[in-house]
């Protein structure tokens, strides 16, 4: 069964609110199973609740536009409690589903989050226009899909999300294939794909560009209480561009995260390549990463603190592994162990960092067949070890190629070469502190 939203009164002018028309099409489709068709044209809507056995299909030339007016949005997180302010549960979402099964989002059309209406440039004197943009007003997620069994997202393009783009929480048996995410490359919090306490997820063939992390595997506090940890995730054949991390595991780590594989991906102008943060008690283990190529580099920050996001996390590191406490939170991080990487071929501006604590030592990490060229790409020189967010924060110091702290049975092998552009600013020898 096919349900064309125009038959329910949806108007393709990009300004008429079509929420009710599209939702009635979804409700009818749920009763029979089938496809809700968004045809060529621009359709504006508030929150849409996706239901079981419904495929939301955007035809070529279709544009589904999210309202960013709070009164049009489902407040999906009003009952969530989380002491980590960085998670950002406030706000609503555009595409919403909870406790459903067999949902598909597909087609050659575009889902538009209108983040351009929430971001703005400070235009401060001397601004290199690389720092995070400031934010104003209400910023909904583009999606929040909770406890969905059998979720498929394929072929569609997501553009200009104001907050997280594809947030899957407690989902099982997920396929994300051949999608494009084009977000503002200076936009804070506009993550690409966030599997949160999910199991059995395949992400492949995707192109993701944005200011915040491209793919983030995490276990937030409220989702961990409901669904347990995060496991069995494969990420392959993607092109990732981010002013944060290409692949990030954490920082929200209330539950265990394990059996994650990233392979055969290209990283383009990322602030960090692979980042693994343990902060909240869950263990991170059995992570395999191989055949990664591209570059990581620094981006400038605004010169003075302001109300919104004002700095990037990271300083051009190819690999960052960190287990330490959050600032102001008396909670021990979990363990990080059995992390294996090979054939990592990157041009970078920051060091490999593997940094635990005596109370949470990192163990059994291997990085082999690495080919890292430390070369200046930005207007800055390496001078900071950045472990934010944590009690350690950022520390100015001399920078080595590899920085180790409280790391047991750790191996880094390969060609680590310093280009002439950084020969006086980054040292080849390793620095090992506190064991």
């Amino acid at each position: 069964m096919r349900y064309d939203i125009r038959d329910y009164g949806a108007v393709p002018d990009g300004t008429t609110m079509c929420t009710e028309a599209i939702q009635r099409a979804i409700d009818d489709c749920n009763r029979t199973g089938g496809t809700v068709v968004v045809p060529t044209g621009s359709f504006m809507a508030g929150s849409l609740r996706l239901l079981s056995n419904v495929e939301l299909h955007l035809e070529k030339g279709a544009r589904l536009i999210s309202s960013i007016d709070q009164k049009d949005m489902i407040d999906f997180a009003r009952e969530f409690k989380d002491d980590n302010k960085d998670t950002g549960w406030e706000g609503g979402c555009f595409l919403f589903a909870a406790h459903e099964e067999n949902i598909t989002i597909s087609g050659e059309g575009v889902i538009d989050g209108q983040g351009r209406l929430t971001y703005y440039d400070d235009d401060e004197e001397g601004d290199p226009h690389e720092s995070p943009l400031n934010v104003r007003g209400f910023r909904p997620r583009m999606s929040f899909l909770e406890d969905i069994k059998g979720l498929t997202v394929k072929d569609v393009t997501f553009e200009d999300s104001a907050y997280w783009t594809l947030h899957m929480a407690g989902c099982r048996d997920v396929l994300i294939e051949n999608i494009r995410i084009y977000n503002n490359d200076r936009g804070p919090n506009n993550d690409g794909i966030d599997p949160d306490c999910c199991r059995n997820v395949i992400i492949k063939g995707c192109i993701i560009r944005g200011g915040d992390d491209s793919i983030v595997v995490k276990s937030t506090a409220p989702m961990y209480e409901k669904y347990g940890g995060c496991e069995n995730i494969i990420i392959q054949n993607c092109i990732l561009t981010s002013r944060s991390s290409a692949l990030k595991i954490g920082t929200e780590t209330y539950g265990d995260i394990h059996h994650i594989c990233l392979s055969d991906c290209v990283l383009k102008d990322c602030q960090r390549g692979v980042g693994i943060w343990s902060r909240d008690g869950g263990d991170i283990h059995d992570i395999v990463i191989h055949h990664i190529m591209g570059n990581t580099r620094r981006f400038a920050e605004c010169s003075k603190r302001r109300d919104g996001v004002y700095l990037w996390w990271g300083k051009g590191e190819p690999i960052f592994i960190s287990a330490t406490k959050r600032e102001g939170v008396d909670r021990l991080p979990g363990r990080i162990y059995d992390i294996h990487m090979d054939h990592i071929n990157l041009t970078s501006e920051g060091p490999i960092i593997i940094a635990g604590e005596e109370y949470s030592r990192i163990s059994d990490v291997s990085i082999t067949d690495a080919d890292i060229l430390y070369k200046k790409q930005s207007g800055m020189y390496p001078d900071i070890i950045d472990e934010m967010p944590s009690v350690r924060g950022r520390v100015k110091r001399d920078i080595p190629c590899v920085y180790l702290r409280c790391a047991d049975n750790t191996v880094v092998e390969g060609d680590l070469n310093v280009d002439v552009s950084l020969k006086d600013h980054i040292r080849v020898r390793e620095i090992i502190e506190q064991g």
Side-chain angles (χ1 to χ4, degrees):
M1 298 290 291
R2 291 172 61 86
Y3 297 83
D4 190 319
I5 63 173
R6 291 172 301 186
D7 295 338
Y8 291 80
V11 179
D13 61 6
T15 57
T16 301
M17 289 299 293
C18 302
T19 313
E20 183 180 352
I22 300 172
Q23 190 61 58
R24 284 192 289 114
I26 292 170
D27 294 346
D28 284 354
C29 186
N30 168 245
R31 297 184 184 99
T32 64
T35 303
V36 172
V37 177
V38 181
T40 298
S42 296
F43 299 89
M44 173 79 75
S47 292
L48 299 171
R49 184 184 295 267
L50 304 180
L51 301 172
S52 294
N53 304 314
V54 170
E55 176 175 355
L56 180 66
H57 182 80
L58 284 77
E59 293 185 337
K60 188 172 184 177
R63 180 173 290 267
L64 187 58
I65 305 170
S66 169
S67 168
I68 58 166
D69 191 327
Q70 189 168 2
K71 68 178 175 54
D72 298 327
M73 292 288 126
I74 294 174
D75 182 8
F76 70 94
R78 60 184 177 275
E79 297 178 358
F80 295 170
K81 290 181 172 52
D82 190 347
D83 65 6
N84 175 22
K85 62 180 177 15
D86 293 324
T87 307
W89 289 107
E90 70 279 357
C93 68
F94 181 39
L95 301 179
F96 173 76
H99 318 303
E100 305 287 343
E101 61 183 20
N102 301 328
I103 289 176
T104 296
I105 302 170
S106 69
E108 297 180 73
V110 173
I111 301 174
D112 180 354
Q114 294 205 98
R116 56 195 171 276
L117 302 182
T118 69
Y119 295 129
Y120 68 95
D121 200 327
D122 290 304
D123 287 322
E124 59 179 294
E125 186 176 352
D127 186 356
H129 299 285
E130 289 186 353
S131 61
L133 295 169
N134 214 330
V135 297
R136 61 185 160 211
F138 181 72
R139 292 198 296 152
R141 279 166 167 75
M142 193 172 278
S143 67
F144 181 73
L145 308 171
E146 180 184 352
D147 184 28
I148 311 302
K149 182 177 181 182
L151 172 66
T152 300
V153 185
K154 60 183 181 180
D155 302 328
V156 294
T157 297
F158 295 89
E159 285 185 359
D160 204 18
S161 183
Y163 212 85
W164 295 5
T165 307
L166 192 54
H167 184 184
M168 306 170 295
C171 295
R172 291 93 64 209
D173 304 340
V174 176
L175 175 62
I176 311 297
E177 183 176 20
N178 300 335
I179 71 168
R180 300 169 182 86
I181 297 177
Y182 300 142
N183 289 338
N184 192 308
D185 64 3
R186 294 175 59 195
N189 311 117
N190 62 7
D191 301 10
I193 302 174
D194 292 66
D196 178 3
C197 297
C198 291
R199 302 194 305 274
N200 308 334
V201 178
I202 296 175
I203 300 168
K204 64 180 182 178
C206 300
I207 300 171
I208 304 175
R209 302 175 193 159
D212 222 312
D213 307 299
S214 294
I215 299 173
V216 194
V217 181
K218 60 178 66 190
S219 55
T220 60
M223 295 303 108
Y224 168 62
E225 290 176 3
K226 293 182 178 183
Y227 307 110
C230 199
E231 63 185 62
N232 305 340
I233 296 179
I234 295 173
I235 304 158
Q236 62 184 19
N237 301 336
C238 295
I239 301 173
L240 308 174
T241 303
S242 169
R243 297 202 181 179
S244 294
S245 296
L247 171 66
K248 180 179 179 182
I249 298 177
T251 53
E252 298 88 354
T253 51
Y254 290 85
D256 292 355
I257 299 174
H258 58 93
H259 291 93
I260 314 297
C261 179
L262 172 74
S263 68
D264 303 293
C265 290
V266 175
L267 316 186
K268 173 64 175 174
D269 289 338
C270 294
Q271 186 91 253
R272 277 188 173 132
V274 175
I276 300 175
W277 283 256
S278 178
R279 294 291 184 268
D280 302 308
D283 289 349
I284 302 173
H285 61 91
D286 289 287
I287 311 296
V288 173
I289 295 166
H290 61 92
H291 292 89
I292 305 300
M293 65 188 304
N295 76 303
T296 62
R297 53 155 295 184
R298 290 181 67 167
F299 290 94
E301 297 161 353
C302 61
S303 60
K304 52 190 175 183
R305 186 164 183 159
R306 48 184 165 77
D307 290 338
V309 175
Y310 66 99
L311 50 78
W312 305 111
W313 293 350
K315 291 290 174 285
E317 302 90 349
I319 297 165
F320 173 81
I321 302 175
S322 167
T324 190
K325 288 183 179 179
R326 291 185 183 274
E327 184 178 10
V329 178
D330 189 21
R331 178 172 57 241
L332 291 177
R335 298 180 302 148
I336 299 177
Y337 61 94
D338 287 343
I339 312 295
H340 304 291
M341 307 185 191
D342 66 83
H343 295 91
I344 310 299
N345 185 339
L346 293 171
T347 299
S348 297
E349 286 191 304
I352 293 172
I353 296 177
I354 304 172
E357 305 284 1
E358 287 296 346
Y359 54 75
S360 184
R361 300 184 69 88
I362 295 170
S363 66
D364 299 292
V365 175
S366 67
I367 302 170
T368 59
D369 293 300
D371 186 351
I372 309 295
L373 174 63
Y374 297 93
K375 181 178 180 179
K376 188 177 179 183
Q377 302 164 70
S378 68
M380 294 159 279
Y381 289 103
D383 59 352
I384 292 174
I385 297 294
D386 183 353
E387 297 183 62
M388 291 188 62
S390 76
V391 293
R392 289 184 175 269
R394 297 173 163 194
V395 177
K396 274 206 161 191
R397 59 163 305 143
D398 292 339
I399 300 300
C401 288
V402 180
Y403 177 90
L404 301 178
R405 185 184 68 234
C406 297
D408 303 319
N409 194 25
T410 294
V411 175
V412 179
E413 295 179 346
D415 294 326
L416 277 60
N417 298 301
V418 180
D419 182 77
V420 65
S421 60
L422 291 180
K423 70 180 180 65
D424 297 325
H425 299 274
I426 191 164
R427 302 208 299 253
V428 176
R429 72 176 181 86
E430 299 176 359
I431 289 181
I432 301 177
E433 295 190 342
Q434 299 176 12

